[in-house]
Amino acid sequence: MLQKIDHLGIAVKSLDEAIAYYEKALGLSCEKVEEVETQKVRTAFFQVGDTHIELLEPTSEESPIAKFLAKNGEGIHHVAFATDDIDSQLQNAQDAGIKLINQEPVPGAGGKKVAFLHPKSTHGVLTEFCSK
Ligand code: ZN
């Protein structure tokens, strides 16, 4: 079952410049910066109430974030829902005819298991499930 919006993923060109914006203009403090090798990104997390902002900077031209930036520029990249059972959540989506990017969960930031649904079958929103 989905529990909450865990985080919004935002693609940025420069993590350092974007962190400065969230800290200086919005008054948030960066919780951690972490590289996620499976996604070829560096991430920075900010807590806002019960949810988070995840900034994503590509570490390689091969990164999905590099491709997103080339096509769309900076902006909201994905919406992530926390789930207590990522496997059945993926199965439900597949049973509903949704195209999956990840057939199986993969390691994400913060030691979580994550899996993405394809935006072509989710009304344009790249959708992530994540679980502890
Ligand atoms: Zn995410």
Side-chain angles (χ1 to χ4, degrees), residues 1-4 81-96 98 100 102-103 105 115 117 127-131:
M1 194 176 160
L2 295 185
Q3 299 165 313
K4 63 172 185 174
F81 295 98
T83 172
D84 56 2
D85 186 345
I86 195 166
D87 295 314
S88 70
Q89 210 76 55
L90 274 175
Q91 189 62 52
N92 285 352
Q94 190 164 36
D95 292 347
I98 303 304
L100 309 182
N102 304 107
Q103 299 291 330
L117 309 183
T127 300
E128 175 184 344
F129 295 142
C130 63
S131 72

Side-chain angles (χ1 to χ4, degrees), residues 41-103:
V41 291
R42 272 205 321 146
T43 65
F45 279 88
F46 297 84
Q47 185 159 8
V48 188
D50 198 26
T51 188
H52 293 80
I53 300 286
E54 174 188 37
L55 304 180
L56 301 148
E57 175 197 67
T59 54
S60 152
E61 287 302 311
E62 303 302 304
S63 169
I65 297 300
K67 288 168 189 161
F68 178 91
L69 286 169
K71 193 174 167 197
N72 305 288
E74 293 184 305
I76 292 185
H77 176 259
H78 65 272
V79 175
F81 295 98
T83 172
D84 56 2
D85 186 345
I86 195 166
D87 295 314
S88 70
Q89 210 76 55
L90 274 175
Q91 189 62 52
N92 285 352
Q94 190 164 36
D95 292 347
I98 303 304
K99 189 175 171 203
L100 309 182
I101 292 176
N102 304 107
Q103 299 291 330

